[in-house]
Amino acid sequence: MMEEVKEVTSTLSVDRDNINVTEVLKDGDSLTFLIVSQKLSGTGEYHVARAYDDFEWLQQHLFSQEDVPGIQGVIFPPLPAKAQVNASAKVMKQLGFLGLGEWQLYCKALETFLRQIAAHSILSKNKAVEIFLTSSDPPGRQRVRKNIFNRLSQAVEEKRKEGHKDVDQFFQTERDQNLVLAGCAKTAAERFLDVVQTEQKIAVACGHFSAALHLCVEPGEDSDKQAFSKACVKLSEVFDSMKKNMTSVAENNVSTLGLGMDLESRYQEAEKEMLFRRTCKLVELESARRNAEKAKPVKKAAMEEVKKAAETEFDHICGVAKQEIARFQGARVEMLQQALVQWCEKQLLTAKESAEQFNQHLQTLRGMA
Amino acid sequence: MAASSDRIPPPFPATEEPGVGPSDVADGDSDEGEDIFSNPMAVSRGVSQPDNVNEEPPDLFSDEEEASSTTVKSNGVHSDDDNDLFAEAHVELSTDTPGSSARKEPSTSVGPRPASSFTRSPAAMQPTSLEQLEEEESNDSFDVDVAVTNPEKIGDGMNAYVAYKVSTRTSLAMFRSKTFSVRRRYSDFLGLYEKLSVKQSLHGCIIPPPPEKSVVGMTKVKVGMDDPSSVEFVERRRAALERYLQRVVSHPSLLQDPDVREFLEKEELPRAVSTQALSGAGFLKMINKASDAVNKMTIKMNESDTWFEDKFQEVENEEQQLRKLQAVVDSLVNHRKELCGSTAVFAKSMAMLGNSEDNTALSRALSQLAEVEDKMEQLHQEQAASDFFIFAELLADYIRLLGAMRGCFDQRVRAWQRWQEAQSTLQKKREAEAKLLWANKPDKLQQAKEEITEWEARVTQHERDFDRIGMTVRKEVLRFEKEKAKDFRSQIVKYLEAMLQSQQRLVKFWEAFLPEAKAIA
């Protein structure tokens, strides 16, 4: 079991486009995920089992790469909230779309997380990634030293910094835009979840109606009774079709646009965190500059040092941030486009199938005297 | 129920129907309706005469016309340009001949409906085959179409009410003209029901019940007819009143009732006042009171004919089933409405997202998405309305009808009890006569003999009534089952057509959106 990760840089030995979270196993209250990755050289796969804590371990290692210049400018791929068996209502609300069903979407989200890390030019070099994906033993559970990265805006003072005016118009615009989009995306995702959940309720109600109609079938040879019974049976079939249709519609919503909106929402949050880190650094820098100016000659040199260091770090962060933002904007548009196209195609297919089914029902019903 | 013998029977159509007995109705024949049954008569003209069944002429009993002036405002305009109303409402007279049944579509429907029309051939009186060529309003068809439209709020404040336009289109000669319309308010419909109940249920007919009163609903309407729940309430009531009337006029006996004709034709009706009892709860109470009364009678009926017992049980079971179905449909309708709400809200949030988006193509696609979702909300609304008006109301109607049917069964038991009571009275009279014979009191004896004769006649009468009611109930039940099967089937067809249409529109929405989604670069 690897306890510590000494080396920071390495190249990943797996195909970054071929990392799959194939299965989830329930073990009491906890979930274990099976991850399969393709070896880059030759044939063969790595199969590893990981718990949520292992994902957090990975994330911590990525956060704590202090010697990578400008690391704070990276938009870190967002890790979904922790999933639990028999989760509380609060947890389910937090998970949103990812909490639906039997964790298929959750696995997909974890998969996306891993792929994005593997595809990241800076992050993929961290040895922790290699270990996570390839080591048959679970990576160490020891706590990495907590750093400033983890959760944004805990303290109230921190929150104030969020609104700090920027020196760079590009970043100010990006911050403003991100604030609006993050809010809109989160709201839209929540509202879409409401739609899906109502659709599921309708499907259930259709099922009930279908079942209840069977109880209305009357025995007897009387032709009117038979006609009535046939009508009830037919209607029962119709509502069964409707149930299936509604279920498909809801599933399509979830697996394409729902997933997409969830990812967009979480990614906007990740960008927000990065921008906030930069803003904090900016505040630090400005403070260092002021100190350097006001410093008494005794302290001046030291203050200048601090100022220089802050400036360098800030420049690195801005450089990385600009790249990350460009990459992010391209990636999210592509992601959303795919989600929208898939969504539309699936719903179109479902609607056509449904129309065909209704048509058939109608024909048989009209054929029945 | 005094029968007035000065009632003018409805004029029969000109063509003679051989094979039909003397067609004069209660004209001076009998005061208590005894002899009417000696004249078999065709109620549904042009329809093959059922051999054994006697139809009672519906105008045996009549209500006194109220002389009081009406407070119902009606514009009384007979408009003849209402053909569109009938495009969808189409009712056929149904016959009682087994093996031939008219199709009935009691509520408006979209799409092709097979309608059958009778062709009256003056010469022959054979059973007409029902699946004749479909003719629009051919002069030979025995159509009575009714439609209830144009709800209009009259007056203001708490005295306001809604007046509906009741339009009739018919080829029957018993009406004054071929198309006409009147304005009626809800209490008029209730009044009609009350009158019919009093008269017809004694014969064992199933009187279709009108929609229930609703204080809550009406209060909202009185306040203002504009908000969605008022609009929905009025539409629901309008549709229910229309179905009610259509069921009434499609019943061969009820159609003959002068009150029905008056309701359809007369410019202004005297205001119906005693409709308190007929709120929804009141109606049920009435039925249940009748059942209770029946149960409390000491002479328990011994049923010689298990058919009635079995049927009654079936009716009760069916009512239960339908209530269950109704609960499920109500829940479905609610969820659909919920979906409308969430879709609308989601559409707005997508629009906002689209507006905030920098990337032009993505922004446009998201805005398009918002529009698609808006259109879907519209679809969901229509689907909810379909669910509701097609199924929920259908089930509600039939639950009420089954209640009415239970009432018929009870009427029959009451008739039996009256017969039994008459028999027991007769018995007592005979015993009294015997005593008098023995006591040798000739004058009293004469009276006793007269009384015996009188009661013998009454016993005979009551026995006949009982038999007659039994036959009517049987017929009504069969007719009901036929109508029910047709009704349900036609509603399902309507529903499927609506669903199919929705899906096709949905397909179009998605097809329109796809290029937009693909265009995002």
Side-chain angles (χ1 to χ4, degrees), chain A residues 250-314:
Chain A
E251 270 170 12
N252 294 345
N253 281 342
V254 166
S255 64
T256 56
L257 190 58
L259 198 58
M261 303 236 44
D262 169 79
L263 188 59
E264 164 76 0
S265 167
R266 285 186 296 118
Y267 238 117
Q268 292 285 350
E269 283 299 314
E271 195 199 11
K272 190 193 265 190
E273 288 177 17
M274 181 279 278
L275 292 169
F276 181 67
R277 288 193 294 270
R278 180 187 157 277
T279 308
C280 290
K281 254 319 176 222
L282 176 60
V283 170
E284 207 183 288
L285 173 58
E286 288 174 349
S287 160
R289 283 192 181 136
R290 281 198 299 277
N291 290 346
E293 267 182 47
K294 290 192 253 164
K296 302 212 161 67
V298 169
K299 294 274 176 98
K300 195 104 176 162
M303 287 297 117
E304 283 292 324
E305 278 297 315
V306 171
K307 186 188 88 170
K308 271 258 157 22
E311 270 170 1
T312 316
E313 199 181 350
F314 186 70

Side-chain angles (χ1 to χ4, degrees), chain B residues 386-413:
Chain B
S386 272
D387 288 342
F388 182 73
F389 282 105
I390 295 181
F391 288 122
E393 291 286 79
L394 176 70
L395 291 170
D397 280 357
Y398 272 87
I399 290 172
R400 277 197 294 267
L401 281 169
L402 286 172
M405 208 151 95
R406 275 194 288 128
C408 291
F409 279 84
D410 289 337
Q411 293 294 349
R412 177 177 165 269
V413 175

Side-chain angles (χ1 to χ4, degrees), chain B residues 253-267:
Chain B
S253 307
L254 295 181
L255 182 57
Q256 299 304 310
D257 192 309
D259 280 322
V260 171
R261 215 177 327 133
E262 182 181 87
F263 180 88
L264 293 175
E265 274 188 329
K266 200 165 179 193
E267 289 254 343

Side-chain angles (χ1 to χ4, degrees), chain A residues 2 6 10 65 76 89 104 108-109 141 150 162-163 175 202 226 248 251 266 270 272 279 281-282 287 322 334 342 369:
Chain A
M2 304 281 286
K6 286 276 163 47
S10 74
Q65 299 175 93
F76 287 84
Q104 305 99 323
K108 210 98 189 81
R141 301 290 168 87
N150 283 0
E162 212 177 6
R175 281 162 63 188
I202 291 178
Q226 283 194 337
S248 289
E251 270 170 12
R266 285 186 296 118
K272 190 193 265 190
T279 308
K281 254 319 176 222
L282 176 60
S287 160
K322 279 207 169 114
E334 195 186 313
Q342 274 184 355

Side-chain angles (χ1 to χ4, degrees), chain A residues 233-262:
Chain A
V233 168
K234 195 70 198 142
L235 190 58
S236 177
E237 286 170 15
V238 167
F239 270 86
D240 192 57
S241 295
M242 282 176 55
K243 171 186 167 193
K244 294 200 173 92
N245 166 258
M246 241 334 156
T247 309
S248 289
V249 166
E251 270 170 12
N252 294 345
N253 281 342
V254 166
S255 64
T256 56
L257 190 58
L259 198 58
M261 303 236 44
D262 169 79

